[in-house]
Amino acid sequence: MISSDRALHRDFFDRSVHAVAPDLIGATLTFNGVGGRIVEVEAYHHTDPAAHSYRGRTARNAVMFGPPGHAYVYRSYGIHWCVNFVCEAEGSASAVLIRAIEPLEGIDTMRSRRGLDDIRLLCSGPGRVCQALGITGHHDGLTLDRPPFRLMPRAEMPDVVAGPRIGITKAADLPWRYGLAGSRFLSKPFRK
DNA sequence: CAGTGGATGCTCT
DNA sequence: GAGCATCCACTGT
């Protein structure tokens, strides 16, 4: 039932967050036609002390406790927005943070929103991704299988690498960051 | 390049 | 009142 011009089915997200996260590497994400290829993500499981859902449901993380295949958007450090894809069965409260994208569509729009030209700096970081694509807290809870989101499966199997997550203090040693090997668009290189 | 510190606002204790 | 799932500017090699 999977064809290359068809959006990712909701069943794709109804699996372990640790299966979904590496499978998102190479998929194409656009928001109102602006986006590109996902090259870096991080998995956050509800049993993980670093996850927003670890201490239970609150107003902020409510979407994480809802059905899979929806966007959880939160404000980071008072300034930035970050977007996650909710995974696993409803109530599981696990999600994948989108950390970096290789810009492919709407690059001029991204440059304008980001206020800089260097294509390598447009979407190489979770806050940068949301600024470049125009994702804000207004979009918290939107489903991923309809506009403004569009999420297409990857055409070929990429070389996926894993390593520790970035910018967290709790459970910082868990290797739940996934990336496209050798990509120039990562927020940080993966250690060998 | 690596390291440091400020901006900034919301959530949860 | 503390602590952020970050980014940028600035410093010093």
Side-chain angles (χ1 to χ4, degrees):
Chain A
M1 214 30 140
I2 294 181
S3 76
S4 62
D5 61 344
R6 192 101 171 240
L8 281 176
H9 193 274
R10 173 180 155 160
D11 289 348
F12 175 87
F13 292 102
D14 197 3
R15 301 179 293 147
S16 161
V17 71
H18 298 302
V20 173
D23 282 356
L24 280 170
I25 300 300
T28 298
L29 168 70
T30 60
F31 188 79
N32 287 319
V34 177
R37 182 162 65 148
I38 297 172
V39 298
E40 181 184 339
V41 302
E42 284 176 358
Y44 287 89
H45 192 257
H46 67 284
T47 57
D48 161 18
H52 287 174
S53 53
Y54 180 64
R55 290 166 195 279
R57 178 179 183 139
T58 66
R60 174 179 69 158
N61 66 23
V63 170
M64 282 187 79
F65 288 79
H70 289 244
Y72 163 51
V73 185
Y74 71 94
R75 196 185 287 275
S76 175
Y77 288 88
I79 306 171
H80 311 285
W81 296 105
C82 296
V83 63
N84 296 254
F85 295 167
V86 178
C87 296
E88 305 192 3
E90 178 160 358
S92 165
S94 300
V96 177
L97 171 68
I98 307 303
R99 286 196 56 90
I101 287 174
E102 175 180 344
L104 294 174
E105 298 178 48
I107 292 174
D108 290 340
T109 301
M110 295 191 200
R111 287 199 167 108
S112 168
R113 286 172 176 160
R114 294 275 298 120
L116 45 81
D117 289 336
D118 187 347
I119 194 167
R120 294 180 60 166
L121 296 179
L122 293 181
C123 297
S124 54
R128 292 165 172 175
V129 166
C130 283
Q131 188 182 24
L133 270 61
I135 298 172
T136 74
H138 292 126
H139 313 294
D140 186 35
L142 292 185
T143 185
L144 298 170
D145 58 12
R146 284 198 300 273
F149 282 103
R150 188 156 185 266
L151 189 57
M152 306 297 290
R154 58 194 179 197
E156 297 171 9
M157 190 59 166
D159 188 1
V160 178
V161 291
R165 295 172 294 180
I166 294 180
I168 59 174
T169 55
K170 289 167 272 191
D173 50 330
L174 298 175
W176 291 348
R177 172 180 179 236
Y178 301 93
L180 178 63
S183 170
R184 304 160 53 232
F185 300 94
L186 300 172
S187 67
K188 245 180 90 173
F190 282 77
R191 265 214 47 163
K192 279 191 163 178

